[in-house]
Amino acid sequence: MPRARKRPAGAARPDKKGPGGKRTKTEDPGEASAKVENSSLQETSASRDCGKNLSSYWLMKSEPESRLERGVDVKFSIEDLRAQPKQTACWDGVRNYQARNFLRAMKLEEEAFFYHSNCREPGIAGLMKIVKEAYPDHTQFEKNNPHYDPSSKEDNPKWSMVDVQFVRMMKRFIPLAELKTHHQAHRATGGPLKNMALFTRQRLSVQPLTREEFDFILSLEEKEPS
């Protein structure tokens, strides 16, 4: 079984003959279906939508429970991030053009919620920050990696990643069900979560947040679960 470990952020890509690196971030089951073979059409439309940085706050999804993909465990939780050297890791494995463009839009020190996805209780587990802006994702070139993309070339890579650093755990876990309750209420009242991408573009593993959305979610930490 390949080594289930995270590559240190910014590390050079190993010899291609070595075992594939662990994939740490996954698209939601629907997002993973953004097939590489349909890449040209997706890239054209996504580039129009996401070419500009319209956000300084983000929500980024990862799977906290073990799941094998082509023999590689794709599990990576916020606890795994906290355990990394310098509590820092590269956010690799994104294979959706819109999500990739959001990665490319990120700037140093911007904050992101670490969202546990595709698990028994999905929701926001903690905070991290961007510590290295977008650069080529090494996993697209690694034949043993579940996210290898044979159509991507080293002189013109399709896929990017950023480095993130653990900031803190949430004071309490904010479950998806609670966020959905607020989203539905805010759709009627005009509250800050009325257009939250978690519900309007739910398949994306990397999503922008407005300042109002970010601040409202932080405020939930101090409140009893609804």
Side-chain angles (χ1 to χ4, degrees):
M1 179 176 179
R3 290 174 295 174
R5 69 175 181 84
K6 186 72 181 71
R7 179 188 310 286
R13 183 165 55 89
D15 190 314
K16 291 182 180 179
K17 295 181 181 178
K22 177 189 173 193
R23 194 220 179 168
T24 59
K25 267 60 57 185
T26 64
E27 322 305 320
D28 276 357
E31 186 187 358
S33 65
K35 304 293 187 186
V36 170
E37 56 265 31
N38 296 327
S39 61
S40 297
L41 177 60
Q42 288 179 328
E43 183 165 26
T44 300
S45 60
S47 297
R48 289 196 300 266
D49 292 341
C50 311
K52 297 180 180 179
N53 182 13
L54 302 178
S55 177
S56 297
Y57 302 93
W58 307 94
L59 182 147
M60 301 168 73
K61 299 179 181 179
S62 185
E63 297 187 34
E65 298 173 1
S66 289
R67 180 175 68 83
L68 294 182
E69 192 169 327
R70 290 177 55 189
V72 177
D73 190 352
V74 299
K75 171 186 177 293
F76 194 74
S77 67
I78 193 168
E79 291 82 6
D80 293 319
L81 175 61
R82 184 168 56 179
Q84 295 298 308
K86 298 183 180 179
Q87 299 183 319
T88 300
C90 54
W91 201 266
D92 58 37
V94 171
R95 295 295 181 270
N96 172 283
Y97 282 111
Q98 192 172 35
R100 178 208 65 181
N101 288 351
F102 285 138
L103 290 175
R104 291 181 176 181
M106 293 176 178
K107 303 300 181 186
L108 290 177
E109 301 299 316
E110 290 182 347
E111 293 181 289
F113 287 122
F114 194 121
Y115 182 94
H116 282 173
S117 179
N118 198 23
C119 56
R120 287 185 294 273
E121 185 174 30
I124 295 172
L127 276 168
M128 55 190 179
K129 64 180 180 179
I130 310 307
V131 293
K132 184 175 180 178
E133 294 178 8
Y135 62 104
D137 179 348
H138 57 86
T139 64
Q140 65 194 300
F141 306 120
E142 296 173 353
K143 292 183 178 180
N144 292 329
N145 193 283
H147 308 292
Y148 171 63
D149 181 356
S151 69
S152 186
K153 307 304 179 186
E154 295 202 34
D155 60 353
N156 187 26
K158 287 184 178 180
W159 307 110
S160 300
M161 61 185 181
V162 298
D163 288 355
V164 299
Q165 185 175 52
F166 174 85
V167 173
R168 66 174 177 85
M169 303 295 290
M170 299 296 284
K171 294 177 183 177
R172 68 175 181 88
F173 184 82
I174 310 295
L176 172 63
E178 182 177 346
L179 293 169
K180 186 174 182 179
T181 296
H182 289 295
H183 165 68
Q184 291 173 335
H186 290 181
R187 288 180 63 190
T189 64
L193 300 192
K194 62 183 182 297
N195 295 318
M196 189 179 180
L198 185 62
F199 304 103
T200 62
R201 286 180 278 182
Q202 61 266 32
R203 290 185 175 182
L204 287 178
S205 67
V206 179
Q207 303 176 355
L209 293 171
T210 65
R211 176 63 184 266
E212 290 75 19
E213 290 168 343
F214 184 83
D215 287 345
F216 180 84
I217 293 169
L218 283 182
S219 75
L220 296 178
E221 291 185 299
E222 309 296 340
K223 300 175 182 178
E224 291 294 323
S226 56

